[in-house]
Amino acid sequence: MERVSFITFLVIILLGIMIISLHVNAIDLYYPRGINVARGFIYVIGSAQDTARFSFVKQRVKFSTIKRKIYKYDRNGRYIAQWGVEGLRRLFAQPLGAIEMARGQINFPLDLAVDERRNVYVLDAEALTVQKFDDRGAKIATFQGRFGYPGGIAVHVEDTNVVYIYVTDDGVKKFSEQGRLLTSWGTRGAGDGQFNTPLGIDIDGNGFIYVVDTGNNRIQKLDENGGMIWQSGSRGAGDGQFNAPFDVALDDAENIYVTDTGNNRVQKLGPDGQFIKTWGGRGSLPGQFALPTGIAVYGNEIYIVDTKNHRVQKFDTNGNFLQLVVNRN
């Protein structure tokens, strides 16, 4: 009985040391990815890591809390809130090995979309689900999409109040707001309406669908039945060419903005897919990128997720740098 009490006491002491040593920075944003801007608020998928270290019986122990969350900011980058859950990893420097413990509610958020009511839809690439939250992070619903390799998500409001959810997978899948699969189209390939690892997706005001066909280094515009209207792009670094493009967003004039990730730049296309201009280049100065991924348009502002620089940059529609909106502390 005395031994049990001693072990319990020892565990409490060790946990106390861990908690005291824990360094928390709630708004330290690492490797951001998906982004959406709605009603003046910025929603970003990012990761953060909090650590605690102590030594016991010659074993150096490190507890790391890996957080994959949704972060909410205002348009000037002022932190407002975050939600999601965290996984807990226990790492031992000695041969005890590495043990991953809890995954949490959102396993691997890959992309997000926001509807007119500021409901947030999160595509979980590991759990193969779409989770719906309200604007404060309260979970509303989850549905299984029978996905293979999901890549991007978009929502589109039709008939004033009807919300439809689009997800890129092997092709494109369209769901009702309740998660019922309505239709799907696309097969693997390089032909019209075919895809090779599609990622980003956006829908214009007329219901036309724009898909980043990443493996084929092109953008496709489709009608509501999946018929291809036009395609734009090929592999390369020239004007209108792409190297593993990632995401797409449209402005009110239906100009198209694409993160050309492998070329560390953004390209602007006209409504018919014709090249207009490009900006960026590899680096960490304002206006430069290190792996640009997510993109969102809000009015005349373009928000770019600069993943390896751990930040979000804001530009005007001509590519002029406006502001470093979110940056890792």
Side-chain angles (χ1 to χ4, degrees):
M1 191 71 178
E2 292 180 356
R3 183 178 179 184
V4 173
S5 299
F6 174 76
I7 292 174
T8 303
F9 174 78
L10 181 61
V11 169
I12 292 172
I13 293 296
L14 291 177
L15 288 175
I17 294 172
M18 182 187 75
I19 293 170
I20 292 171
S21 303
L22 186 63
H23 169 72
V24 177
N25 188 342
I27 57 175
D28 233 5
L29 188 68
Y30 288 84
Y31 299 104
R33 190 165 180 154
I35 188 170
N36 202 285
V37 184
R39 303 240 177 142
F41 295 101
I42 304 169
Y43 304 83
V44 185
I45 293 173
S47 300
Q49 178 172 312
D50 302 329
T51 60
R53 300 176 179 86
F54 61 89
S55 296
F56 176 68
V57 195
K58 297 183 180 180
Q59 292 286 342
R60 289 180 289 110
V61 183
K62 175 182 177 182
F63 284 80
S64 293
T65 304
I66 307 298
K67 300 178 179 178
R68 300 185 180 97
K69 293 192 173 186
I70 312 303
Y71 294 81
K72 180 182 177 182
Y73 305 85
D74 68 17
R75 284 169 55 202
N76 293 314
R78 184 178 65 88
Y79 170 79
I80 297 175
Q82 61 178 273
W83 68 85
V85 289
E86 55 200 46
L88 180 64
R89 284 184 182 174
R90 184 176 62 190
L91 303 178
F92 296 90
Q94 301 296 327
L96 292 176
I99 305 173
E100 183 175 12
M101 297 176 70
R103 277 291 188 182
Q105 187 179 9
I106 305 176
N107 293 345
F108 195 89
L110 186 62
D111 197 12
L112 57 79
V114 184
D115 67 20
E116 295 296 322
R117 290 165 287 180
R118 294 212 305 258
N119 294 312
V120 182
Y121 302 79
V122 179
L123 177 62
D124 191 330
E126 186 172 292
L128 301 178
T129 61
V130 172
Q131 297 194 50
K132 180 180 178 181
F133 300 87
D134 70 15
D135 188 52
R136 296 167 295 177
K139 185 176 176 181
I140 298 173
T142 299
F143 69 82
Q144 299 282 343
R146 297 182 181 178
F147 302 121
Y149 300 95
I153 186 170
V155 295
H156 182 61
V157 179
E158 301 176 14
D159 303 325
T160 66
N161 290 317
V162 181
V163 177
Y164 295 101
I165 305 164
Y166 294 79
V167 176
T168 55
D169 195 13
D170 297 322
V172 177
K173 293 181 177 179
K174 179 180 179 181
F175 299 89
S176 69
E177 187 176 1
Q178 294 73 35
R180 182 169 61 91
L181 179 64
L182 301 176
T183 186
S184 63
W185 59 82
T187 58
R188 184 175 179 83
D192 294 352
Q194 293 184 314
F195 304 98
N196 180 4
T197 318
L199 292 180
I201 183 170
D202 202 3
I203 297 97
D204 68 20
N206 296 311
F208 293 111
I209 302 151
Y210 301 77
V211 178
V212 179
D213 189 4
T214 302
N216 287 322
N217 291 290
R218 65 183 180 180
I219 310 301
Q220 294 196 60
K221 180 180 179 179
L222 311 170
D223 64 26
E224 61 181 6
N225 297 312
M228 195 185 77
I229 298 172
W230 54 253
Q231 61 174 308
S232 178
S234 60
R235 181 174 177 81
D239 292 346
Q241 294 184 311
F242 300 102
N243 181 7
F246 192 92
D247 202 5
V248 61
L250 280 74
D251 64 21
D252 292 337
E254 296 184 3
N255 294 306
I256 303 151
Y257 302 84
V258 182
T259 46
D260 187 5
T261 303
N263 288 322
N264 287 293
R265 64 183 183 179
V266 175
Q267 295 204 58
K268 179 179 180 179
L269 310 177
D272 295 326
Q274 73 276 18
F275 172 81
I276 295 178
K277 71 178 305 173
T278 184
W279 71 85
R282 183 171 180 80
S284 58
L285 296 175
Q288 295 180 323
F289 303 106
L291 206 71
T293 53
I295 186 169
V297 176
Y298 187 76
N300 293 318
E301 300 170 344
I302 315 298
Y303 295 79
I304 310 294
V305 175
D306 189 6
T307 298
K308 292 186 73 175
N309 283 325
H310 312 287
R311 63 189 186 183
V312 176
Q313 300 189 62
K314 185 198 298 185
F315 300 84
D316 66 20
T317 55
N318 292 314
N320 298 308
F321 175 80
L322 297 178
Q323 184 184 357
L324 188 61
V325 182
V326 179
N327 193 25
R328 185 181 70 182
N329 291 339

